[in-house]
Amino acid sequence: MSGTVHVVGAGLAGLSAAASLAEMGRHVVLHEAAKQAGGRCRSYYDPSLGLTIDNGNHLLLSGNTAALDFLTRIGAPQGVLDGPDEAAFDFADLRTGERWQLRPNAGRLPWWVLDASRRVPGSRASDYLAPLSLMMAASGKAPGRAGTIGEKMACEGLLYERLWHPVLLAALNTDPRESDVGLAATILKETLGAGGRACRPLVAVQGLSAAFVDPALSYLAARGGEIRYGRRLRALGISGGRIASLDFADGPTEIGPRDGVVLALPPWVAADLLPGLPAPQEFRSIVNAHFAGAPPAGAPLLLGVVGGLTEWLFAYPDRFSVTISGADHLLDTPREELARRIWDEIADLHGLARELPSWQIVKEKRATFAATPAEAARRAGATTVYTNLVLAGDWTATGLPSTIEGAIRSGTMAADALTRSGMCGRTQASSAA
Protein backbone atom coordinates (compact mmCIF):
# COMPACT_ATOMS: atom_id res chain seq x y z
CA MET A 1 0.00 0.00 0.00
CA SER A 2 2.97 2.34 -0.51
CA GLY A 3 2.17 3.48 -4.06
CA THR A 4 0.65 6.71 -5.32
CA VAL A 5 -3.10 7.19 -5.51
CA HIS A 6 -4.30 9.19 -8.50
CA VAL A 7 -7.61 10.95 -7.82
CA VAL A 8 -9.28 12.11 -11.02
CA GLY A 9 -11.75 14.92 -10.37
CA ALA A 10 -11.38 17.69 -7.79
CA GLY A 11 -15.00 18.21 -6.86
CA LEU A 12 -16.00 17.60 -3.24
CA ALA A 13 -16.04 13.83 -3.75
CA GLY A 14 -12.49 13.85 -5.13
CA LEU A 15 -11.28 16.26 -2.44
CA SER A 16 -12.85 14.07 0.23
CA ALA A 17 -11.19 10.93 -1.13
CA ALA A 18 -7.84 12.72 -1.46
CA ALA A 19 -7.99 14.11 2.08
CA SER A 20 -8.89 10.71 3.53
CA LEU A 21 -6.03 9.03 1.68
CA ALA A 22 -3.57 11.75 2.67
CA GLU A 23 -4.61 11.30 6.30
CA MET A 24 -3.75 7.60 5.92
CA GLY A 25 -0.28 8.62 4.79
CA ARG A 26 -0.73 7.93 1.09
CA HIS A 27 0.91 10.02 -1.61
CA VAL A 28 -1.94 11.62 -3.58
CA VAL A 29 -1.94 13.20 -7.02
CA LEU A 30 -5.15 15.08 -7.78
CA HIS A 31 -6.04 15.62 -11.45
CA GLU A 32 -8.68 18.16 -12.51
CA ALA A 33 -9.84 19.03 -16.04
CA ALA A 34 -10.81 22.61 -15.11
CA LYS A 35 -8.54 25.43 -13.99
CA GLN A 36 -9.87 25.32 -10.44
CA ALA A 37 -11.09 22.78 -7.90
CA GLY A 38 -14.54 22.43 -6.36
CA GLY A 39 -16.73 21.27 -9.25
CA ARG A 40 -20.33 22.29 -8.55
CA CYS A 41 -19.45 23.46 -5.05
CA ARG A 42 -17.09 26.37 -5.54
CA SER A 43 -16.99 30.15 -5.51
CA TYR A 44 -16.06 32.52 -8.31
CA TYR A 45 -16.02 36.23 -9.04
CA ASP A 46 -18.96 37.41 -11.12
CA PRO A 47 -18.21 40.71 -12.92
CA SER A 48 -21.88 41.51 -13.60
CA LEU A 49 -22.49 41.59 -9.84
CA GLY A 50 -19.06 42.73 -8.77
CA LEU A 51 -19.21 40.00 -6.14
CA THR A 52 -17.84 36.57 -5.40
CA ILE A 53 -20.70 34.07 -5.45
CA ASP A 54 -21.15 30.32 -5.29
CA ASN A 55 -22.10 28.47 -8.46
CA GLY A 56 -24.94 26.93 -6.49
CA ASN A 57 -26.52 27.68 -3.12
CA HIS A 58 -26.09 24.83 -0.66
CA LEU A 59 -27.60 24.28 2.76
CA LEU A 60 -26.11 21.89 5.28
CA LEU A 61 -27.58 20.62 8.51
CA SER A 62 -25.87 19.92 11.82
CA GLY A 63 -26.65 16.22 11.27
CA ASN A 64 -24.43 16.13 8.14
CA THR A 65 -21.66 14.37 10.04
CA ALA A 66 -19.53 13.48 7.00
CA ALA A 67 -19.38 17.11 5.87
CA LEU A 68 -18.62 18.42 9.36
CA ASP A 69 -15.96 15.75 9.93
CA PHE A 70 -14.40 16.72 6.60
CA LEU A 71 -14.17 20.37 7.66
CA THR A 72 -12.48 19.30 10.89
CA ARG A 73 -10.06 17.01 9.04
CA ILE A 74 -8.90 19.69 6.61
CA GLY A 75 -8.61 22.36 9.31
CA ALA A 76 -11.28 24.69 7.92
CA PRO A 77 -11.35 27.98 9.88
CA GLN A 78 -13.89 28.41 12.63
CA GLY A 79 -17.04 30.21 11.52
CA VAL A 80 -17.03 29.16 7.87
CA LEU A 81 -20.55 27.81 8.46
CA ASP A 82 -23.13 30.10 10.00
CA GLY A 83 -26.61 29.45 11.30
CA PRO A 84 -28.95 29.80 14.28
CA ASP A 85 -28.05 28.30 17.66
CA GLU A 86 -31.02 25.94 17.46
CA ALA A 87 -33.02 24.21 14.76
CA ALA A 88 -35.18 27.02 13.40
CA PHE A 89 -36.52 27.48 9.88
CA ASP A 90 -38.29 30.64 8.80
CA PHE A 91 -41.06 30.35 6.21
CA ALA A 92 -43.30 32.78 4.33
CA ASP A 93 -46.35 32.20 2.15
CA LEU A 94 -46.50 34.67 -0.73
CA ARG A 95 -50.19 33.98 -1.34
CA THR A 96 -51.45 34.74 2.16
CA GLY A 97 -48.65 36.86 3.62
CA GLU A 98 -48.34 34.47 6.58
CA ARG A 99 -44.97 33.89 8.23
CA TRP A 100 -43.94 31.24 10.69
CA GLN A 101 -40.95 29.49 12.16
CA LEU A 102 -40.58 25.73 12.34
CA ARG A 103 -38.69 24.83 15.54
CA PRO A 104 -38.05 21.13 16.23
CA ASN A 105 -36.91 20.43 19.78
CA ALA A 106 -33.36 19.22 20.36
CA GLY A 107 -34.09 15.62 21.40
CA ARG A 108 -35.33 12.68 19.37
CA LEU A 109 -38.77 12.60 21.01
CA PRO A 110 -40.66 15.10 18.82
CA TRP A 111 -42.73 16.88 21.44
CA TRP A 112 -42.47 20.06 19.36
CA VAL A 113 -45.36 18.91 17.15
CA LEU A 114 -47.64 19.31 20.19
CA ASP A 115 -46.81 23.02 20.41
CA ALA A 116 -48.74 25.08 17.85
CA SER A 117 -46.14 27.87 18.01
CA ARG A 118 -43.41 25.50 16.79
CA ARG A 119 -45.23 23.89 13.86
CA VAL A 120 -46.77 25.00 10.58
CA PRO A 121 -49.84 27.23 11.09
CA GLY A 122 -53.07 25.33 10.52
CA SER A 123 -51.46 21.90 10.95
CA ARG A 124 -52.25 19.31 13.61
CA ALA A 125 -49.81 17.16 15.56
CA SER A 126 -51.17 14.00 13.90
CA ASP A 127 -50.34 15.41 10.45
CA TYR A 128 -46.62 14.94 11.17
CA LEU A 129 -46.92 11.15 11.24
CA ALA A 130 -47.02 10.91 7.44
CA PRO A 131 -43.23 10.43 6.93
CA LEU A 132 -43.30 7.35 9.17
CA SER A 133 -44.89 5.52 6.25
CA LEU A 134 -41.84 6.35 4.15
CA MET A 135 -39.42 4.96 6.70
CA MET A 136 -41.45 1.79 7.14
CA ALA A 137 -41.75 1.29 3.39
CA ALA A 138 -37.99 1.69 2.90
CA SER A 139 -36.93 -0.60 5.72
CA GLY A 140 -34.90 -3.53 4.40
CA LYS A 141 -35.49 -2.68 0.75
CA ALA A 142 -32.77 -2.54 -1.88
CA PRO A 143 -32.17 0.84 -3.57
CA GLY A 144 -35.02 1.70 -5.90
CA ARG A 145 -37.22 -1.15 -4.66
CA ALA A 146 -39.41 0.69 -2.14
CA GLY A 147 -41.46 2.64 -4.69
CA THR A 148 -42.19 6.36 -4.88
CA ILE A 149 -43.17 8.86 -2.23
CA GLY A 150 -46.43 9.44 -4.08
CA GLU A 151 -47.30 5.77 -3.61
CA LYS A 152 -46.62 5.79 0.13
CA MET A 153 -47.96 9.10 1.44
CA ALA A 154 -50.57 11.66 0.43
CA CYS A 155 -48.83 14.41 -1.53
CA GLU A 156 -51.49 17.05 -0.94
CA GLY A 157 -52.92 19.25 1.75
CA LEU A 158 -51.69 22.19 3.80
CA LEU A 159 -48.76 20.50 5.55
CA TYR A 160 -47.51 18.91 2.35
CA GLU A 161 -47.57 22.26 0.55
CA ARG A 162 -45.95 24.17 3.43
CA LEU A 163 -43.40 21.65 4.69
CA TRP A 164 -42.96 18.23 3.11
CA HIS A 165 -42.98 19.41 -0.51
CA PRO A 166 -40.39 22.22 -0.11
CA VAL A 167 -38.16 20.13 2.18
CA LEU A 168 -38.25 16.97 0.05
CA LEU A 169 -37.91 18.87 -3.22
CA ALA A 170 -34.84 20.70 -1.91
CA ALA A 171 -33.24 17.47 -0.68
CA LEU A 172 -34.06 15.33 -3.72
CA ASN A 173 -34.20 17.93 -6.53
CA THR A 174 -37.01 15.85 -7.99
CA ASP A 175 -40.79 16.10 -7.67
CA PRO A 176 -41.47 14.20 -4.42
CA ARG A 177 -44.38 12.35 -6.01
CA GLU A 178 -41.97 10.52 -8.34
CA SER A 179 -39.01 10.36 -5.97
CA ASP A 180 -37.54 7.23 -4.42
CA VAL A 181 -38.86 6.36 -0.96
CA GLY A 182 -35.50 5.00 0.21
CA LEU A 183 -33.64 8.25 -0.47
CA ALA A 184 -36.33 10.30 1.27
CA ALA A 185 -36.37 7.94 4.26
CA THR A 186 -32.60 8.24 4.71
CA ILE A 187 -32.76 12.04 4.64
CA LEU A 188 -35.62 12.15 7.16
CA LYS A 189 -33.99 9.57 9.43
CA GLU A 190 -30.70 11.49 9.60
CA THR A 191 -32.31 14.92 10.10
CA LEU A 192 -35.82 15.35 11.52
CA GLY A 193 -35.85 11.76 12.77
CA ALA A 194 -32.67 12.42 14.74
CA GLY A 195 -34.13 15.45 16.52
CA GLY A 196 -33.43 19.15 16.41
CA ARG A 197 -29.74 18.70 17.23
CA ALA A 198 -29.35 17.24 13.73
CA CYS A 199 -31.47 19.89 12.02
CA ARG A 200 -29.72 23.17 12.73
CA PRO A 201 -29.30 24.92 9.33
CA LEU A 202 -25.76 25.84 8.33
CA VAL A 203 -24.70 28.08 5.43
CA ALA A 204 -21.22 28.80 4.05
CA VAL A 205 -21.61 32.58 4.33
CA GLN A 206 -18.02 33.25 3.22
CA GLY A 207 -18.43 31.02 0.18
CA LEU A 208 -18.12 27.33 -0.57
CA SER A 209 -14.50 27.63 -1.65
CA ALA A 210 -13.50 29.32 1.61
CA ALA A 211 -15.25 26.58 3.59
CA PHE A 212 -14.53 23.39 1.66
CA VAL A 213 -12.16 23.83 -1.26
CA ASP A 214 -9.30 26.12 -0.22
CA PRO A 215 -8.68 24.39 3.14
CA ALA A 216 -8.75 20.97 1.43
CA LEU A 217 -6.15 22.04 -1.13
CA SER A 218 -3.95 23.45 1.64
CA TYR A 219 -4.35 20.23 3.63
CA LEU A 220 -3.24 18.14 0.65
CA ALA A 221 -0.31 20.39 -0.21
CA ALA A 222 0.92 20.27 3.40
CA ARG A 223 1.02 16.47 3.15
CA GLY A 224 2.95 16.32 -0.08
CA GLY A 225 -0.07 16.00 -2.38
CA GLU A 226 0.21 17.18 -5.96
CA ILE A 227 -2.59 19.08 -7.70
CA ARG A 228 -2.59 19.18 -11.50
CA TYR A 229 -5.14 21.31 -13.36
CA GLY A 230 -6.09 21.22 -17.04
CA ARG A 231 -5.94 17.42 -17.11
CA ARG A 232 -8.93 16.01 -18.97
CA LEU A 233 -9.06 12.22 -18.89
CA ARG A 234 -9.78 10.76 -22.33
CA ALA A 235 -9.36 7.02 -21.71
CA LEU A 236 -8.22 4.38 -19.25
CA GLY A 237 -5.43 2.01 -20.17
CA ILE A 238 -6.39 -1.46 -18.89
CA SER A 239 -4.12 -4.48 -18.61
CA GLY A 240 -4.35 -7.64 -16.55
CA GLY A 241 -7.55 -6.64 -14.80
CA ARG A 242 -6.21 -3.36 -13.52
CA ILE A 243 -5.73 0.27 -14.61
CA ALA A 244 -2.29 0.53 -16.20
CA SER A 245 -2.44 4.13 -17.44
CA LEU A 246 -4.50 7.29 -17.38
CA ASP A 247 -4.61 8.80 -20.84
CA PHE A 248 -5.00 12.54 -20.40
CA ALA A 249 -5.35 15.03 -23.23
CA ASP A 250 -1.80 16.24 -22.58
CA GLY A 251 -0.31 12.74 -22.45
CA PRO A 252 -0.51 9.45 -20.55
CA THR A 253 0.33 8.83 -16.90
CA GLU A 254 1.58 5.33 -16.10
CA ILE A 255 0.01 3.59 -13.10
CA GLY A 256 2.52 1.47 -11.23
CA PRO A 257 1.82 -1.97 -9.78
CA ARG A 258 1.28 -0.51 -6.30
CA ASP A 259 -0.66 2.56 -7.43
CA GLY A 260 -4.40 3.12 -7.10
CA VAL A 261 -6.95 5.23 -8.96
CA VAL A 262 -10.06 7.03 -7.70
CA LEU A 263 -12.45 8.21 -10.42
CA ALA A 264 -14.45 11.11 -8.97
CA LEU A 265 -16.13 12.26 -12.17
CA PRO A 266 -19.72 13.03 -13.22
CA PRO A 267 -21.72 9.88 -14.04
CA TRP A 268 -21.92 10.55 -17.78
CA VAL A 269 -18.12 10.94 -17.96
CA ALA A 270 -17.46 7.84 -15.85
CA ALA A 271 -19.88 5.81 -17.99
CA ASP A 272 -18.04 6.86 -21.17
CA LEU A 273 -14.71 5.79 -19.70
CA LEU A 274 -16.08 2.51 -18.33
CA PRO A 275 -18.63 1.04 -20.78
CA GLY A 276 -21.23 -1.01 -18.97
CA LEU A 277 -20.81 0.89 -15.70
CA PRO A 278 -24.16 1.26 -13.91
CA ALA A 279 -24.82 4.97 -13.56
CA PRO A 280 -27.80 7.35 -13.49
CA GLN A 281 -29.05 8.38 -16.90
CA GLU A 282 -31.66 11.03 -16.03
CA PHE A 283 -30.92 14.34 -14.38
CA ARG A 284 -32.72 17.34 -12.92
CA SER A 285 -31.95 21.05 -13.12
CA ILE A 286 -31.51 23.79 -10.55
CA VAL A 287 -31.87 27.53 -11.13
CA ASN A 288 -29.99 29.95 -8.87
CA ALA A 289 -30.54 33.71 -8.84
CA HIS A 290 -28.27 36.32 -7.26
CA PHE A 291 -29.02 40.00 -6.58
CA ALA A 292 -26.36 42.46 -5.41
CA GLY A 293 -26.99 44.54 -2.33
CA ALA A 294 -27.02 44.09 1.43
CA PRO A 295 -30.28 42.59 2.76
CA PRO A 296 -32.18 44.68 5.32
CA ALA A 297 -31.44 44.26 9.01
CA GLY A 298 -33.29 41.32 10.51
CA ALA A 299 -33.62 39.36 7.27
CA PRO A 300 -33.32 35.65 8.11
CA LEU A 301 -30.23 33.94 6.75
CA LEU A 302 -32.49 31.31 5.19
CA LEU A 303 -36.15 31.73 4.29
CA GLY A 304 -38.37 28.99 2.88
CA VAL A 305 -40.91 30.48 0.47
CA VAL A 306 -44.15 28.85 -0.65
CA GLY A 307 -46.75 30.05 -3.10
CA GLY A 308 -44.33 31.57 -5.62
CA LEU A 309 -41.41 30.95 -7.93
CA THR A 310 -38.82 31.45 -5.18
CA GLU A 311 -38.27 28.38 -3.00
CA TRP A 312 -35.32 29.12 -0.70
CA LEU A 313 -34.02 32.65 -0.16
CA PHE A 314 -30.51 33.13 1.27
CA ALA A 315 -29.61 36.52 2.75
CA TYR A 316 -25.83 36.76 2.47
CA PRO A 317 -24.09 39.90 3.79
CA ASP A 318 -23.70 41.36 0.28
CA ARG A 319 -26.54 39.79 -1.72
CA PHE A 320 -29.75 37.84 -1.88
CA SER A 321 -29.50 34.41 -3.49
CA VAL A 322 -32.40 32.17 -4.49
CA THR A 323 -32.52 28.45 -5.24
CA ILE A 324 -35.25 26.79 -7.30
CA SER A 325 -35.04 22.99 -7.40
CA GLY A 326 -36.46 20.59 -9.97
CA ALA A 327 -36.23 23.50 -12.41
CA ASP A 328 -36.41 21.75 -15.79
CA HIS A 329 -39.55 23.75 -16.59
CA LEU A 330 -37.58 27.00 -16.28
CA LEU A 331 -34.64 26.20 -18.56
CA ASP A 332 -36.22 27.88 -21.59
CA THR A 333 -37.48 30.92 -19.66
CA PRO A 334 -35.44 34.03 -20.54
CA ARG A 335 -32.98 34.98 -17.84
CA GLU A 336 -34.28 38.56 -17.68
CA GLU A 337 -37.81 37.31 -17.08
CA LEU A 338 -36.66 35.03 -14.28
CA ALA A 339 -34.69 37.84 -12.63
CA ARG A 340 -37.68 40.19 -12.78
CA ARG A 341 -40.15 37.66 -11.36
CA ILE A 342 -37.86 36.51 -8.58
CA TRP A 343 -36.87 40.04 -7.55
CA ASP A 344 -40.52 41.09 -7.37
CA GLU A 345 -41.07 38.29 -4.87
CA ILE A 346 -38.03 39.29 -2.81
CA ALA A 347 -39.20 42.90 -2.82
CA ASP A 348 -42.64 41.82 -1.55
CA LEU A 349 -41.11 39.65 1.17
CA HIS A 350 -38.83 42.38 2.49
CA GLY A 351 -40.61 45.61 1.58
CA LEU A 352 -37.95 46.65 -0.93
CA ALA A 353 -38.12 48.83 -4.02
CA ARG A 354 -39.02 46.96 -7.19
CA GLU A 355 -36.17 48.50 -9.17
CA LEU A 356 -34.10 45.55 -10.33
CA PRO A 357 -30.56 45.57 -8.83
CA SER A 358 -27.55 43.96 -10.50
CA TRP A 359 -28.41 40.31 -10.98
CA GLN A 360 -27.18 36.97 -12.24
CA ILE A 361 -29.10 33.82 -13.18
CA VAL A 362 -27.28 30.48 -13.18
CA LYS A 363 -29.01 27.49 -14.76
CA GLU A 364 -27.52 24.09 -13.92
CA LYS A 365 -29.02 21.73 -16.48
CA ARG A 366 -27.63 18.50 -15.01
CA ALA A 367 -27.32 19.60 -11.41
CA THR A 368 -28.18 16.21 -9.87
CA PHE A 369 -29.32 12.78 -10.89
CA ALA A 370 -33.09 12.31 -10.87
CA ALA A 371 -33.96 10.84 -7.48
CA THR A 372 -36.44 8.32 -8.90
CA PRO A 373 -36.51 4.59 -8.04
CA ALA A 374 -35.14 3.71 -11.48
CA GLU A 375 -32.15 6.04 -11.14
CA ALA A 376 -31.51 5.05 -7.51
CA ALA A 377 -31.22 1.43 -8.66
CA ARG A 378 -28.60 2.40 -11.29
CA ARG A 379 -26.05 3.80 -8.83
CA ALA A 380 -22.72 2.00 -8.77
CA GLY A 381 -20.85 1.07 -5.62
CA ALA A 382 -17.36 2.28 -4.78
CA THR A 383 -15.56 -0.88 -5.96
CA THR A 384 -15.16 -1.95 -9.59
CA VAL A 385 -14.04 -5.07 -11.47
CA TYR A 386 -10.56 -3.54 -11.70
CA THR A 387 -8.29 -4.32 -8.79
CA ASN A 388 -6.88 -0.83 -8.35
CA LEU A 389 -9.85 1.34 -9.31
CA VAL A 390 -12.63 2.74 -7.12
CA LEU A 391 -15.38 5.30 -7.73
CA ALA A 392 -16.50 8.41 -5.87
CA GLY A 393 -19.25 10.94 -6.54
CA ASP A 394 -22.60 11.94 -5.13
CA TRP A 395 -24.18 9.74 -7.83
CA THR A 396 -22.62 6.55 -6.44
CA ALA A 397 -24.45 4.30 -3.97
CA THR A 398 -24.15 6.39 -0.80
CA GLY A 399 -27.76 5.90 0.24
CA LEU A 400 -28.26 9.66 0.01
CA PRO A 401 -29.50 11.87 -2.81
CA SER A 402 -27.12 14.21 -4.62
CA THR A 403 -25.93 16.47 -1.81
CA ILE A 404 -22.71 17.82 -0.28
CA GLU A 405 -23.07 15.20 2.46
CA GLY A 406 -23.40 12.46 -0.15
CA ALA A 407 -20.41 13.68 -2.16
CA ILE A 408 -18.13 13.82 0.86
CA ARG A 409 -19.36 10.49 2.16
CA SER A 410 -18.64 8.91 -1.23
CA GLY A 411 -15.05 10.12 -1.06
CA THR A 412 -14.39 8.52 2.32
CA MET A 413 -16.12 5.34 1.14
CA ALA A 414 -13.86 5.19 -1.92
CA ALA A 415 -10.71 5.75 0.17
CA ASP A 416 -11.76 3.07 2.64
CA ALA A 417 -12.58 0.61 -0.15
CA LEU A 418 -9.19 1.16 -1.78
CA THR A 419 -7.38 0.60 1.48
CA ARG A 420 -9.52 -2.19 2.89
CA SER A 421 -9.28 -4.43 -0.15
CA GLY A 422 -5.56 -3.82 -0.72
CA MET A 423 -6.24 -2.81 -4.31
CA CYS A 424 -3.26 -0.50 -4.52
CA GLY A 425 -0.68 -3.22 -4.21
CA ARG A 426 -2.25 -6.09 -6.09
CA THR A 427 -1.88 -7.20 -9.66
CA GLN A 428 -4.28 -9.68 -11.20
CA ALA A 429 -1.72 -12.47 -10.68
CA SER A 430 -1.18 -11.71 -7.00
CA SER A 431 -4.94 -11.44 -6.49
CA ALA A 432 -5.44 -14.91 -8.02
CA ALA A 433 -2.68 -16.33 -5.85
Side-chain angles (χ1 to χ4, degrees):
M1 297 295 292
S2 59
T4 294
V5 180
H6 295 266
V7 179
V8 185
L12 286 191
L15 290 172
S16 171
S20 295
L21 290 160
E23 186 179 40
M24 298 173 190
R26 302 306 306 277
H27 176 240
V28 176
V29 178
L30 184 61
H31 307 268
E32 169 57 44
K35 297 179 180 179
Q36 67 284 316
R40 286 188 55 243
C41 293
R42 62 179 176 84
S43 309
Y44 66 95
Y45 179 78
D46 186 278
S48 64
L49 292 170
L51 300 172
T52 296
I53 62 174
D54 295 328
N55 64 335
N57 299 309
H58 292 271
L59 171 70
L60 287 95
L61 297 175
S62 51
N64 293 154
T65 55
L68 297 181
D69 288 346
F70 175 73
L71 292 178
T72 299
R73 177 182 299 119
I74 62 177
Q78 293 292 320
V80 293
L81 298 181
D82 192 16
D85 293 333
E86 63 174 356
F89 295 85
D90 291 280
F91 283 88
D93 191 326
L94 283 167
R95 294 166 298 193
T96 66
E98 287 180 276
R99 289 178 179 258
W100 65 93
Q101 192 176 68
L102 192 77
R103 292 189 297 126
N105 59 281
R108 286 180 176 271
L109 185 65
W111 59 260
W112 65 276
V113 302
L114 303 176
D115 184 344
S117 68
R118 286 177 171 262
R119 62 179 190 246
V120 175
S123 66
R124 302 167 299 178
S126 59
D127 297 336
Y128 292 80
L129 298 175
L132 290 177
S133 62
L134 302 183
M135 297 185 189
M136 294 174 61
S139 180
K141 298 290 196 332
R145 299 294 184 182
T148 66
I149 295 174
E151 294 169 342
K152 305 302 179 184
M153 68 176 273
C155 294
E156 59 185 6
L158 180 143
L159 189 60
Y160 178 77
E161 293 177 0
R162 289 187 162 187
L163 179 60
W164 302 130
H165 180 267
V167 167
L168 291 172
L169 179 60
L172 301 164
N173 196 36
T174 305
D175 185 341
R177 294 175 179 84
E178 64 175 3
S179 294
D180 179 62
V181 163
L183 295 176
T186 301
I187 286 288
L188 292 171
K189 180 181 178 182
E190 294 187 5
T191 54
L192 278 174
R197 290 190 186 91
C199 295
R200 189 166 65 89
L202 299 169
V203 179
V205 291
Q206 300 171 35
L208 292 168
S209 288
F212 290 95
V213 182
D214 297 340
L217 296 176
S218 297
Y219 179 87
L220 293 173
R223 284 154 183 79
E226 301 176 50
I227 303 162
R228 303 175 182 174
Y229 297 108
R231 306 215 78 200
R232 185 170 300 280
L233 186 62
R234 299 189 303 183
L236 297 169
I238 299 170
S239 177
R242 62 185 300 277
I243 305 304
S245 67
L246 299 173
D247 298 332
F248 293 101
D250 59 352
T253 294
E254 299 301 318
I255 303 300
R258 299 186 65 81
D259 294 346
V261 177
V262 180
L263 279 190
L265 299 170
W268 53 89
V269 178
D272 284 343
L273 293 167
L274 293 167
L277 176 73
Q281 300 171 9
E282 292 186 21
F283 305 90
R284 295 291 184 268
S285 305
I286 292 176
V287 167
N288 294 285
H290 307 275
F291 301 90
L301 176 61
L302 176 71
L303 179 66
V305 182
V306 297
L309 183 60
T310 301
E311 292 175 358
W312 295 95
L313 175 60
F314 295 77
Y316 292 99
D318 55 4
R319 69 191 186 277
F320 280 114
S321 291
V322 166
T323 291
I324 304 172
S325 302
D328 290 5
H329 62 291
L330 297 176
L331 292 180
D332 294 331
T333 304
R335 297 169 67 254
E336 294 79 2
E337 179 183 337
L338 287 174
R340 179 75 268 171
R341 290 171 60 187
I342 294 170
W343 179 253
D344 283 348
E345 293 180 349
I346 296 173
D348 288 343
L349 289 166
H350 289 287
L352 302 174
R354 289 182 173 270
E355 181 181 356
L356 193 62
S358 298
W359 56 271
Q360 181 60 274
I361 300 291
V362 180
K363 299 179 181 181
E364 298 179 90
K365 186 175 182 180
R366 292 190 288 190
T368 71
F369 70 86
T372 63
E375 298 307 301
R378 291 192 178 106
R379 303 172 78 183
T383 60
T384 71
V385 297
Y386 303 105
T387 57
N388 61 343
L389 174 68
V390 295
L391 304 173
D394 62 9
W395 59 272
T396 59
T398 63
L400 292 170
S402 184
T403 59
I404 284 180
E405 177 74 1
I408 292 174
R409 189 176 297 185
S410 78
T412 58
M413 291 169 63
D416 289 343
L418 196 64
T419 303
R420 187 172 56 250
S421 63
M423 291 178 187
C424 296
R426 292 172 12 181
T427 64
Q428 185 71 12
S430 64
S431 176

